[in-house]
Amino acid sequence: QVQLVESGGGLVQFGGSLRLSCAASGSIFSIKTMGWYRQAPGKERELVATITTDGSTNYADSVKARFTISRDVAKKTVYLQMYSLKPEDTAVYYCNADVVEWRTFTTKNYWGQGTQVTVSS
């Protein structure tokens, strides 16, 4: 089994910053793409940003130039640095990873439990 554990969420004022972390553990041979998604109340879960093993990144238009995704391959951890936060960034943020599992070498997709980010106006 594989676990993704997020941390770093919280309450921040308009214009503030937060850094989210997500650490993967368990039966992991390697991790392919890692990413962050978010879900606001009453809305569908949406892509925030992804990063591949070679460091290629992809961002939602709404967060470009404000958020930065990065990863530490050795630590099996992905980060999301968020700047200039707005009330519309308020959501539960979920970590996601495509994991190649040890022994079976099959790729499975995993989600973290989510961390709340609240931006006050």
Side-chain angles (χ1 to χ4, degrees):
Q1 260 301 358
V2 173
Q3 296 80 38
L4 302 179
V5 178
E6 301 106 331
S7 60
L11 174 64
V12 64
Q13 291 187 334
F14 177 86
S17 301
L18 277 177
R19 187 190 194 215
L20 305 183
S21 300
C22 170
S25 63
S27 184
I28 299 171
F29 175 74
S30 65
I31 303 176
K32 297 180 178 179
T33 300
M34 300 187 80
W36 290 94
Y37 292 73
R38 67 186 181 187
Q39 187 166 19
K43 295 188 177 181
E44 293 186 353
R45 192 172 298 187
E46 63 177 4
L47 169 73
V48 176
T50 60
I51 184 166
T52 64
T53 50
D54 64 359
S56 297
T57 58
N58 179 51
Y59 294 93
D61 288 342
S62 59
V63 306
K64 279 181 182 177
R66 299 189 299 122
F67 291 9
T68 300
I69 189 170
S70 61
R71 68 189 287 179
D72 185 323
V73 175
K75 293 183 178 180
K76 300 183 182 65
T77 300
V78 63
Y79 306 95
L80 185 69
Q81 178 67 56
M82 305 184 290
Y83 298 102
S84 302
L85 284 161
K86 308 174 182 179
E88 50 263 45
D89 294 317
T90 295
V92 177
Y93 284 69
Y94 296 92
C95 177
N96 180 270
D98 288 325
V99 176
V100 180
E101 294 190 333
W102 186 248
R103 283 193 288 274
T104 64
F105 302 104
T106 56
T107 301
K108 293 185 180 180
N109 187 260
Y110 287 92
W111 291 93
Q113 82 286 355
T115 185
Q116 177 70 46
V117 172
T118 302
V119 184
S120 63
S121 57

